[in-house]
Each structure stands twice: as structure tokens, then as C-alpha cells.
Amino acid sequence: MPPNIVVKLLRDNGFNKVKLFEADPGALRALGKSGIQVMVGIPNDLLATMASTVTNAELWVQQNVSQYISKYGTDIRYVAVGNEPFLKTYKDRFVRSTYPALQNVQAALVKAGLGRQVKVTVPLNADVYESGDGLPSSGDFRSDIKTLMVSIVRFLADSVSPITFNIYPFLSLNADPNFPREYAFFPDSGGGGGRGAKPVVDGSISYTNVFDANFDTLVSALEKNGFDANKVEIIVGEVGWPTDGDVNANTALAQRFNQGLLNRIVQGQGTPRRKTAPEVYIFSLVDEDVKSIDPGKFERHWGIFSYDGAVKYPLSLGNGRQLVPAKGVRYQAREWCVLSPQAAGNGATWTSSADYACQLADCTSLGPGSSCAGLDSAANASYAFNMYFQKMDHRRGSCVFNNLGVVTKIDPSSGSCRFPIEIDTSRHETLRPRKNSGGGEGKWRTVATAAMVVVWAVFN
């Protein structure tokens, strides 16, 4: 979607904060004088550059922070230095560069006169802390990075800057076939959310959901290392639930989880060990069709909105407000590319053509347990053909497939399986796609790969 429509979508829904994975010029300009506070990210592959000299950090701050504040009135409040740089799957690639990069960026902000206005942080995965017996009260920082974590938390606290952690109950459920399903949801979040979960008893505290338990494991880790968790500003940088690409990823479960999450945000609810509610960024705003699917096909379907800003499922935002869709989105012509009836009826082989289409377009909705899993082989081919046709913006020759494809004006969508029509990019200024950031494409947590740059929002 174009940046101006994304910003209007945020404002229409009362989202007052957003994170950009990278400093996209179009997004930063559109956010100028919008009333939306911005967290802008530095990708992991720039950490070594930021760490090498403070001059590099000063140049980045000038180009990506100072000029947008002064020239466009963009309300940049945070710079996120890296994204989950201590994931075990990175094999220590960013361990040496993250802290000095953080120090240099902070020094650059101070030199630019922005030290009070713009704070630094490092978004970290919840795997940087752990509990030996599974109880939150036993939480501590991971032994291999404990000294580094204490240094970073102390530096951020001394700089009056927040610490940021990403928590994913969906991934907890998805990774462990024995994980208690109800424990992934909040109590009273609809559909019996949390009420069927066997509590995890930790001393005088009974935990009924994994979000609270995970967050309080962090609280314990902070306290064990000499920090007062009630005086440290904590941001939950990513939390959400996907709607497709896995048996546990659908609109019903996403609505259940995110409504429970929004209820907590509206009520200002904290956790048993920390009553102060953290600032929460919901992941994500829209789906991302070029995101790495190494962790799973669900990675392209975290949005509370579809790729075009359409509402996926109802969410109550408090005060009687509901989610509203994006306005002003322009589409390609109402045409779809499907397997021709002649090819489908004469036994022609279309597997190789469908495979080719899916190599270049997003076919993650075809996987087991996904929204289009019930299609027969011919409809599978039609879905693949159409996704390629839409990705190619209906260009001539993009619905040939060895004469197996045909353009139709009849919507082939069926049941839960939606055959989309692409946004007409020639009639919009669009956000540019993100390249993969960080290391290891085989990692089991995704970082900053995004088709849409504006992907995290906070409700107020």
C-alpha cells in the first residue's frame, strides 16, 4: 500500500505508534506531522558499520532521523538498534557488534541534540532469558550472554531508554505438540480463552497464560541481576497471531488472541510480578508476501489487515470502536488467471507450471491446514497461476503457462480460499520491499524481512 494510505489507516484506527523495520524514506515522509510516534530500526547487517566508528552512526542519524524530524516533522521517538541480534541461530554473529553499535548510536543522537527526544533500544527475542525449572521466578539471562545483557540493560537504564523484548505465544504453541493449547490464550478472551488452561503454580502466583509467565521470567531475570523491574521501562516489541499458513494459524484463533491482548492494553493491565503495563506493539499491521518462510508459511500472515488494508476479522478497540479498513486503495482490473477448462478436462499435466508460479509468488495459503488446503489439484494450479499473474501486475504473457492458463473475469474464490487482486502500483507511490536482514536464512525466528515497511502498531 502507498505510505499515505497506510498512515491514514493507522490514524483511522487510533494506532498512535508504529515501528519501521528500516528507515524507509516514503514512510518517514508520510508519517510527518501525523501525530503518530515512530520507532525506526537499524537492520542487523548494519550493526558492524555502526559499531566500527561513531562517525558512521552520526551519518546514519543525520540521514535517517534528524532530517525527517526537522524537515518533515516526523515524530521519531526510538531508534531500534538491530533486531533480535542474539538469536542462537545467528551463532554469535552479532554478539560483538550490538553493544558498541548501541553506544555509538546513542552518542550520535546526543551530538545531534536529540538525546532527550529520541531514545535507543535493542529489540530482543525472549530466548535471551530462560528458566531452569520452567517457573517464572527462576528466570535469568542466558548464561552465554549474561554479562553482555546486564551491560546493555544498565546502559539503557542510565540513558533513560527502554528495553524491548518480543514475546510469541503462537510460536510456543506451534513448536511443541505437547504445549497446552489454552495456555497460549488470555483468560476471558473469548472462546473459553485461558479458562481451560491448567495453571502453572509458582509460589503464591498461578499463571493462566504463557504471555504473563514469559514476561515475568524477564522480570525475574532483571531482579536477579540487580535491576528494579518496576523502574525499568519495558516494551513488548512484537506480539500477535497469524491467520494462515499453519493449522494453528487462522482468523478465529488470531481474533481470540489479539482481542484478549487489546483488552489488556485498553485496561492497562500488567502481569503478576509487574503491575505496570508495558508498552505493546502488535505484530503486525498487514501481511507480508515476500517475508522469509523458513520458520513456517505462517510468517507471511501476521497482519490484522490483509495486504490491501482489508479487515481480516473484527476487533474491538474500546469505547465502542471497531477496526476499519484502508480507504483509497486502487486495484488492478477485476481479472484472475486460472487453469483453462480445456486443460483441466483433458488430463494435461500442470504441476511443473504451478511449481514455477509458486517459486516466484506467494502460495503459502496452499499448505496443509491453511485457508486454501481444501482445493483440488486443478484449483491448486489456478491459485498458483493467479498469484503469479497478480504479482506480475497482469502483464502480457503472465497468464500463459504453456497455454494452460486463461484470464477470467469470474472470481474463482471458494470458501475460505480467497483469490486476490493486486494493488495497482502504477497508480500509487508504494513502500519499497525490504531485503532480508541479519543472518542465517534457516533461523526459526524471523527478523526484518517485510513487503510493507510499516508493520507494528500500538493501540491507545
Side-chain angles (χ1 to χ4, degrees):
M1 285 191 293
N4 63 313
I5 290 180
V6 173
V7 171
K8 190 173 190 310
L9 176 65
L10 291 167
R11 295 183 66 180
D12 287 349
N13 284 283
F15 291 104
N16 64 358
K17 301 185 182 184
V18 68
K19 176 179 176 181
L20 311 181
F21 279 123
E22 298 183 27
D24 183 89
L28 287 168
R29 288 194 298 267
L31 286 162
K33 300 179 181 179
S34 66
I36 298 172
Q37 297 178 12
V38 180
M39 179 187 292
V40 61
I42 298 176
N44 288 340
D45 55 13
L46 288 182
L47 289 176
T49 300
M50 297 296 106
S52 61
T53 68
V54 71
T55 302
N56 289 340
E58 290 170 358
L59 180 62
W60 188 92
V61 166
Q62 172 57 39
Q63 293 177 342
N64 300 293
V65 180
S66 300
Q67 75 156 326
Y68 291 103
I69 291 175
S70 61
K71 188 174 181 180
Y72 299 99
T74 309
D75 189 7
I76 299 175
R77 295 296 183 95
Y78 302 113
V79 172
V81 182
N83 194 53
E84 300 185 337
F86 303 146
L87 281 174
K88 292 180 181 179
T89 47
Y90 285 154
K91 302 185 184 302
D92 297 335
R93 178 179 170 186
F94 305 111
V95 166
R96 293 181 180 272
S97 58
T98 300
Y99 186 28
L102 179 69
Q103 292 172 306
N104 284 345
V105 172
Q106 169 66 12
L109 289 169
V110 171
K111 185 174 181 179
L114 299 172
R116 293 182 180 274
Q117 177 180 346
V118 183
K119 302 299 182 180
V120 290
T121 190
V122 181
L124 297 164
N125 185 266
D127 75 346
V128 299
Y129 49 87
E130 57 193 5
S131 170
D133 58 10
L135 297 177
S137 61
S138 300
D140 201 352
F141 292 122
R142 218 170 67 205
S143 59
D144 60 312
I145 55 169
K146 182 173 181 176
T147 300
L148 177 58
M149 280 300 306
V150 170
S151 297
I152 287 175
V153 174
R154 183 173 294 117
F155 176 81
L156 291 172
D158 290 345
S159 304
V160 197
S161 296
I163 57 175
T164 301
F165 295 88
N166 303 334
I167 299 175
Y168 277 105
F170 169 82
L171 295 181
S172 299
L173 173 64
N174 199 59
D176 182 359
N178 297 315
F179 189 89
R181 185 185 183 89
E182 294 298 310
Y183 196 56
F185 299 93
F186 300 104
D188 302 318
S189 60
R195 287 176 291 191
K198 180 181 179 180
V200 172
V201 179
D202 187 4
S204 61
I205 300 173
S206 292
Y207 289 94
T208 59
N209 67 88
V210 70
F211 179 91
D212 281 348
N214 191 305
F215 190 94
D216 279 359
T217 304
L218 165 64
V219 170
S220 295
L222 291 169
E223 292 173 345
K224 276 189 176 61
N225 290 280
F227 299 100
D228 184 343
N230 288 302
K231 294 182 179 179
V232 175
E233 183 181 356
I234 302 175
I235 293 176
V236 177
E238 297 180 41
V239 60
W241 201 281
T243 57
D244 208 348
D246 186 83
V247 67
N248 290 314
N250 56 58
T251 55
L253 294 182
Q255 181 186 34
R256 179 179 173 186
F257 179 83
N258 282 328
Q259 188 62 68
L261 176 65
L262 281 170
N263 291 345
R264 292 170 62 100
I265 296 172
V266 171
Q267 296 163 9
Q269 182 178 341
T271 62
R273 294 181 67 94
R274 187 179 186 268
K275 301 303 181 183
T276 302
E279 186 170 278
V280 177
Y281 286 70
I282 300 172
F283 188 88
S284 63
L285 187 65
V286 295
D287 284 348
E288 309 170 54
D289 66 354
V290 297
K291 193 174 189 178
S292 170
I293 58 172
D294 287 335
K297 293 182 178 180
F298 57 81
E299 285 291 357
R300 293 182 177 175
H301 302 279
W302 289 95
I304 57 176
F305 297 94
S306 298
Y307 71 100
D308 56 353
V311 175
K312 289 187 183 179
Y313 48 85
L315 281 177
S316 173
L317 306 179
N319 298 321
R321 292 191 300 163
Q322 298 285 327
L323 282 181
V324 296
K327 301 178 180 66
V329 178
R330 299 179 179 181
Y331 297 89
Q332 297 282 354
R334 284 184 57 81
E335 296 178 343
W336 297 264
C337 177
V338 297
L339 182 69
S340 73
Q342 293 79 9
N346 66 13
T349 301
W350 52 74
T351 302
S352 60
S353 294
D355 289 344
Y356 171 80
C358 288
Q359 288 174 8
L360 299 172
D362 179 26
C363 294
T364 53
S365 293
L366 292 175
S370 300
S371 61
C372 297
L375 299 180
D376 60 25
S377 59
N380 265 352
S382 289
Y383 186 89
F385 288 2
N386 184 64
M387 294 305 291
Y388 178 84
F389 179 64
Q390 302 298 336
K391 185 178 180 65
M392 299 302 291
D393 295 325
H394 297 197
R395 294 174 199 166
R396 179 176 297 182
S398 61
C399 187
V400 177
F401 298 107
N402 298 318
N403 296 318
L404 297 173
V406 63
V407 175
T408 179
K409 295 184 181 296
I410 301 174
D411 187 352
S413 299
S414 174
S416 64
C417 184
R418 177 189 179 194
F419 281 57
I421 295 177
E422 188 56 78
I423 295 171
D424 186 350
T425 55
S426 68
R427 302 168 72 188
H428 286 306
E429 177 193 6
T430 57
L431 301 175
R432 68 174 187 265
R434 295 291 101 202
K435 62 182 179 179
N436 288 351
S437 174
E441 279 300 300
K443 61 186 180 296
W444 284 90
R445 282 284 291 105
T446 185
V447 288
T449 311
M452 297 295 298
V453 182
V454 183
V455 293
W456 299 347
V458 179
F459 176 75
N460 182 23

